[in-house]
């Protein structure tokens, strides 16, 4: 990377003649390219030729007639460390600014930089080159960031996956209400339905509000065939899970629970609606037995 000291060393070694402040800034641009490892292959009118950037010649030339035009400057470089690909640099004077455009061979669009001349040219700097410039370190840093680093490819555009990751991170920042499920879910092709809790779970454990992802908790087993010991039958027949039958205190706080009837009215007690447990060693399921003469009938 070029530094203000290396750029000033190139200026001193070249000993250019300046007509005005724009000449000084334009030559500082050239000196920064040379300090970054580029070789000058054309300048002045030859650099404005239509074949300047496509020429196969990589012979280094001097700086004679680099400022022979009134308000335009042009330089053609190659960098042996970068495959000797040609780079065309043009500088255009516009009032108190210098507009810089750099185009690499094979690139579709040039890289642009607008420089305020007064920011880097000292007034009454004398004959010493170091006194004719100011803030040269800032100038070199800006040119490297906006032009050189992009030509070298170090400022490549982020990939699509990086962009999606950054967008996802932004959604999780404080103040952003949108959120995504933490677990990855795979869906078959076609319509996608949100997950829905098992039978009765939405009343027992009220879910989140509208606009939120439904949450599937451990409320019971799956499948559509329900057996006598399925946990969705109020904890299963013969199990001691605390639930509705005889255990109203086990209902979670906030559950939308209907106690089967008007409270305090005879005949609507919750224990009247429980299933008699299966007898030990029983065979046929009670729902399939014929009427008998036991105490259940």
């Amino acid at each position: 990377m070029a530094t203000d000291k290396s750029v000033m060393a190139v200026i001193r070694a070249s000993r250019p003649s300046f007509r005005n402040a724009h000449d000084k800034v334009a030559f500082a641009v050239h000196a920064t390219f040379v300090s970054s490892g580029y070789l000058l292959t054309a300048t002045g009118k030859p650099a404005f030729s239509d074949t300047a950037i496509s020429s196969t010649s990589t012979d280094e030339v001097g700086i004679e007639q680099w400022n022979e035009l009134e308000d335009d400057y042009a330089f053609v470089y190659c960098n042996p460390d970068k495959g000797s690909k040609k780079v065309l640099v043009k500088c255009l004077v516009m009032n108190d600014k210098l507009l810089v455009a750099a185009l690499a061979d094979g690139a579709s669009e040039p890289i642009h930089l607008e420089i305020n001349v007064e920011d880097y040219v000292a007034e009454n700097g004398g004959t010493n080159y170091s006194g004719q410039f100011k803030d040269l370190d800032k100038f070199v840093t800006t040119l490297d960031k906006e032009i050189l680093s992009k030509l070298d490819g170090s400022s490549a555009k982020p990939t699509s996956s990086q962009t999606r990751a950054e967008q996802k991170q932004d959604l999780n920042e404080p103040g952003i209400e949108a959120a995504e499920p933490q677990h990855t879910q795979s869906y078959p092709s076609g319509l996608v339905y949100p997950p829905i809790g098992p039978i009765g779970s939405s009343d027992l454990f009220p879910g989140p509000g509208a606009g939120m992802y439904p949450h599937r908790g451990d409320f019971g087993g799956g499948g559509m065939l329900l057996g006598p010991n399925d946990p969705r039958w109020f904890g299963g027949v013969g199990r001691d899970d605390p639930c509705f039958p005889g255990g109203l205190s086990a209902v979670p706080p906030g559950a939308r629970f209907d106690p089967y009837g008007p409270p305090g009215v005879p005949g609507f007690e919750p224990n009247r609606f429980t299933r008699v447990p299966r007898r030990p060693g029983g065979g046929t399921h009670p729902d399939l037995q014929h009427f008998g003469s036991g105490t259940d009938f």
Side-chain angles (χ1 to χ4, degrees), residues 261-277:
V265 178
F268 287 93
E269 294 83 0
N271 56 7
R272 288 179 53 85
F273 297 90
T274 61
R275 179 192 294 275
V276 178

Side-chain angles (χ1 to χ4, degrees), residues 183-199:
H183 302 286
T184 303
Q185 302 184 29
S186 59
Y187 300 99
S189 59
L191 296 177
V192 177
Y193 295 94
I196 301 175
I199 298 174

Side-chain angles (χ1 to χ4, degrees), residues 226-246:
L226 310 181
N229 292 322
D230 193 280
R232 280 172 282 190
W233 292 123
F234 302 115
V237 176
R239 295 177 56 176
D240 295 331
D241 295 346
C243 201
F244 297 158

Side-chain angles (χ1 to χ4, degrees), residues 76-270:
V76 179
Y77 303 96
C78 70
N79 193 334
D81 298 333
K82 304 295 182 180
S84 297
K85 180 181 293 187
K86 293 290 187 66
V87 176
L88 172 62
V89 178
K90 290 186 177 182
C91 302
L92 173 64
V93 175
M94 184 172 290
N95 295 331
D96 58 347
K97 299 183 183 299
L98 188 71
L99 307 182
V100 181
L103 178 66
D105 187 16
S108 59
E109 295 181 357
I111 304 171
H112 299 279
L113 176 63
E114 182 179 301
I115 300 176
N116 190 358
V117 174
E118 296 179 353
D119 291 343
Y120 304 106
V121 176
E123 297 181 0
N124 302 323
T127 58
N128 292 331
Y129 287 113
S130 59
Q132 299 181 35
F133 296 89
K134 63 180 181 180
D135 292 335
L136 194 58
D137 54 343
K138 179 182 177 181
F139 174 86
V140 175
T141 301
T142 303
L143 191 65
D144 179 77
K145 177 183 177 182
E146 300 297 335
I147 300 289
L148 291 168
S149 62
K150 295 179 180 180
L151 290 173
D152 295 339
S154 58
S155 298
K157 294 182 179 180
T159 61
S160 59
S161 59
Q162 291 175 335
T163 304
R164 288 193 298 267
E166 292 175 357
Q167 291 175 350
K168 182 176 181 180
Q169 182 179 3
D170 293 339
L171 289 176
N172 293 328
E173 291 294 330
I176 304 298
E177 298 297 334
E180 297 184 11
Q182 297 180 355
H183 302 286
T184 303
Q185 302 184 29
S186 59
Y187 300 99
S189 59
L191 296 177
V192 177
Y193 295 94
I196 301 175
I199 298 174
S201 63
S202 61
D203 284 334
L204 184 61
F205 295 91
M212 303 292 291
Y213 282 91
H215 177 70
R216 184 188 296 275
D218 296 327
F219 304 133
M224 66 179 181
L225 301 178
L226 310 181
N229 292 322
D230 193 280
R232 280 172 282 190
W233 292 123
F234 302 115
V237 176
R239 295 177 56 176
D240 295 331
D241 295 346
C243 201
F244 297 158
L248 293 179
S249 61
V251 177
R256 295 188 289 267
F257 176 68
D258 184 2
Y260 311 115
V265 178
F268 287 93
E269 294 83 0

Side-chain angles (χ1 to χ4, degrees), residues 38-43 52 55-62 76-80 84 86:
Y38 286 85
L39 303 179
L40 181 66
T41 62
T43 187
S55 174
T56 58
S57 175
T58 57
D59 296 336
E60 193 171 6
V61 300
V76 179
Y77 303 96
C78 70
N79 193 334
S84 297
K86 293 290 187 66

